[in-house]
Amino acid sequence: MLQLRDKKIADEILARIKKLNLQLKIMHVCGTHQDTIVRYGLDSLLKDCGIEVIQGPGCPVCVTTTLEIQKAITLAKNGVTVATFGDMIKVPAAGTSLQKARAEGGDVRIVYSIDDAVKMAGKGEVVFIGVGFETTAPSTAVTLLNEPENFYVLSCHRYIPPALDALLGMGEIRIDGIICPGHVSTIIGMEPYKPLSCKYEIPQVIAGFEPLDVLMAVYMIARQIDEGRHEVENEYIRVVRPEGNEKAKEALKEVFDPADAEWRGFPIIKKSKMALKKEFEEYDAEKRYEDLLENIEMAEEAKGCRCGEVLRGLIYPQQCPLFGKICNPSNPVGPCMVSIEGACNIEYRYKND
Amino acid sequence: MCLAVPGKIIEKRGNKAIVDYGGVRREADISLVDVKEGDYVIVHAGFAIQVLSKKDAEETLKIFEEMLKNA
């Protein structure tokens, strides 16, 4: 993989992009892409070639709504064991967080995999906060198909293509091309992006996560624009098959139904959330703990936090007046500063010296 | 969150396998992939989500070079 960081090839790709002489704004929707882009300084290299790259709603923790986090906190405060991925516990909601709930005696566990949470359920009921896009959701689906005991899921899983559709449809900013997330695409393949390229006449390229992957994806988009094409192409052929992962797609289809849902920073996006099917409602935390969860009202976002605009690609992290001042990774005001996939957190980690 | 790491299947045990990540070994679920021992997989949150194609990995650089030549 080190070869995919070769400076000579990088310089050559950059020179080719520059030669096309285009002024483009390209969006990607993946925290791991953003990490590669900022860590290796690709953002400034590309800027010199006329290309602006911005992160959209590609951070599952960030797009999880305040209401969903309030529900998780409510469970923890009422004696339910809550298991979740690490990033979730620091996200502030309604003046508290899962971390604070834990400090006040709540049983909040950090897990690396849903498997760890299932193992805990041997000793008592566990609610797993299912966060993540199509990459992560198959692990939840497979787990439920195995009929675990004492185990419930608060599904916050979401589909990426409806969010891209919503974003392009809103038309708030000009987007000339999209770098599609490599590991979401590993599951869903190339097909689900095609209607979007048609509808919005926009090039999309699935990319891997090494610096050359990202540069090449940008070049492939630029070349499509130069040649007047708008297609879905795959740069990440070593992992992504055109059809995706059939077993994983099948598991998702068996367990989840698409439901309309809010995303942080967005109005309701049609068919964008993975809701547990009726056949799996015995595992649905919203049903099991209906009495605790049904009447919670979504709290207001923290004052001054502009995560919503960051997630819609309208502003860069530094354009938020709180960035690096009262909002930093030790004291995050919004989720984009909490999650290692959030644009603000990544910007702060690599550039704030 | 969608970070996934490549590793090598060392030993299969039903739906699980021991995966070696350059020296660090950990169990992963393999029910989403068809694999044999010795295969390289991409693992995300404890689940192998795809088999890595060594041939395609080697091809990638070649394609890069050719695309640049033909551009």
Side-chain angles (χ1 to χ4, degrees):
Chain A
M1 286 305 142
L2 284 176
Q3 286 162 300
L4 290 170
R5 298 177 189 177
D6 185 285
K7 187 172 181 305
K8 207 172 127 236
I9 299 180
D11 286 342
E12 210 161 330
I13 299 172
L14 285 163
R16 300 275 170 171
I17 295 170
K18 199 166 190 172
K19 210 170 143 199
L20 292 175
N21 197 22
L22 297 163
Q23 298 294 319
L24 303 178
K25 188 160 194 164
I26 294 174
M27 178 173 274
H28 70 82
V29 282
C30 177
T32 317
H33 276 148
Q34 183 68 6
D35 191 276
T36 301
I37 289 163
V38 179
R39 179 196 298 227
Y40 295 101
L42 306 184
D43 45 354
S44 46
L45 290 171
L46 285 166
K47 213 168 200 175
D48 292 342
C49 305
I51 313 285
E52 215 185 303
V53 187
I54 192 157
Q55 181 174 2
C59 161
V61 169
C62 307
V63 300
T64 300
T65 61
T66 297
L67 181 61
E68 288 165 318
I69 294 161
Q70 284 173 273
K71 286 182 180 175
I73 295 169
T74 302
L75 291 172
K77 283 192 166 171
N78 282 279
V80 181
T81 300
V82 169
T84 189
F85 297 128
D87 272 4
M88 280 295 285
I89 75 155
K90 280 171 102 178
V91 180
T96 181
S97 66
L98 280 169
Q99 192 176 38
K100 284 185 186 157
R102 182 166 69 179
E104 289 159 12
D107 189 7
V108 179
R109 316 277 188 94
I110 294 175
V111 290
Y112 155 76
S113 165
I114 190 171
D115 253 1
D116 303 337
V118 172
K119 281 175 195 147
M120 283 171 205
K123 294 177 197 129
E125 292 190 356
V126 169
V127 172
F128 177 70
I129 313 300
V131 179
F133 300 129
E134 291 93 332
T135 322
T136 319
S139 61
T140 300
V142 165
T143 300
L144 296 187
L145 287 167
N146 288 334
E147 303 175 0
E149 282 179 24
N150 290 335
F151 191 78
Y152 304 91
V153 173
L154 186 73
S155 176
C156 310
H157 290 306
R158 284 169 163 81
Y159 301 98
I160 276 285
L164 292 175
D165 194 1
L167 196 91
L168 294 167
M170 285 161 87
E172 290 180 302
I173 50 162
R174 197 193 86 198
I175 304 170
D176 301 299
I178 292 174
I179 300 175
C180 300
H183 292 140
V184 165
S185 309
T186 300
I187 304 297
I188 68 174
M190 298 172 75
E191 214 54 46
Y193 300 108
K194 289 184 180 169
L196 298 176
S197 271
C198 263
K199 185 172 168 188
Y200 299 104
E201 302 192 345
I202 191 164
Q204 298 178 88
V205 175
I206 296 165
F209 301 94
E210 290 295 327
L212 288 191
D213 287 322
V214 174
L215 290 179
M216 185 50 98
V218 170
Y219 177 51
M220 288 163 80
I221 288 170
R223 229 168 56 161
Q224 283 199 39
I225 290 168
D226 186 56
E227 292 165 6
R229 293 182 290 125
H230 44 84
E231 295 161 14
V232 179
E233 293 179 316
N234 181 14
E235 182 279 333
Y236 198 27
I237 55 164
R238 62 191 186 276
V239 174
V240 176
R241 317 278 178 264
E243 70 283 6
N245 179 329
E246 298 284 7
K247 278 189 180 179
K249 285 197 297 188
E250 198 48 49
L252 288 181
K253 230 193 266 172
E254 254 184 282
V255 173
F256 297 110
D257 268 334
D260 300 350
E262 274 187 49
W263 294 42
R264 188 184 297 267
F266 288 80
I268 285 175
I269 302 178
K270 283 209 177 315
K271 296 187 171 179
S272 65
K273 188 165 165 176
M274 301 187 201
L276 288 170
K277 279 194 168 163
K278 214 168 171 26
E279 302 92 286
F280 292 89
E281 69 180 20
E282 61 183 296
Y283 303 109
D284 191 343
E286 306 242 19
K287 295 262 163 25
R288 170 70 182 86
Y289 299 103
E290 202 172 355
D291 50 333
L292 291 174
L293 302 179
E294 66 182 345
N295 291 322
I296 303 173
E297 271 185 38
M298 178 137 80
E300 279 186 29
E301 307 289 325
K303 214 173 157 212
C305 174
R306 296 182 72 183
C307 276
E309 290 155 274
V310 170
L311 290 166
R312 297 207 301 284
L314 302 183
I315 61 164
Y316 286 98
Q318 301 91 330
Q319 289 171 276
C320 174
L322 309 187
F323 178 82
K325 299 187 179 87
I326 70 162
C327 184
N328 57 61
S330 323
N331 182 27
V333 176
C336 300
M337 187 57 94
V338 174
S339 175
I340 54 162
E341 292 210 301
C344 300
N345 179 291
I346 293 169
E347 193 71 18
Y348 189 93
R349 261 189 293 136
Y350 292 118
K351 289 196 184 159
N352 208 63
D353 42 26
Chain B
M1 185 71 73
C2 293
L3 181 69
V5 195
K8 186 180 181 180
I9 304 276
I10 299 299
E11 191 190 330
K12 279 171 73 172
R13 296 174 184 168
N15 281 341
K16 311 277 182 191
I18 300 296
V19 179
D20 182 285
Y21 307 92
V24 179
R25 290 182 178 193
R26 220 194 130 112
E27 193 181 72
D29 188 294
I30 51 168
S31 43
L32 295 170
V33 289
D34 292 313
V35 284
K36 53 183 188 309
E37 287 166 11
D39 280 348
Y40 283 85
V41 287
I42 294 274
V43 180
H44 167 75
F47 282 68
I49 57 168
Q50 193 52 281
V51 186
L52 189 69
S53 159
K54 202 177 164 197
K55 198 181 106 236
D56 286 339
E58 285 162 358
E59 280 286 295
T60 300
L61 268 182
K62 232 186 261 175
I63 291 171
F64 277 18
E65 281 159 10
E66 268 166 33
M67 273 190 73
L68 290 174
K69 255 186 254 162
N70 300 334

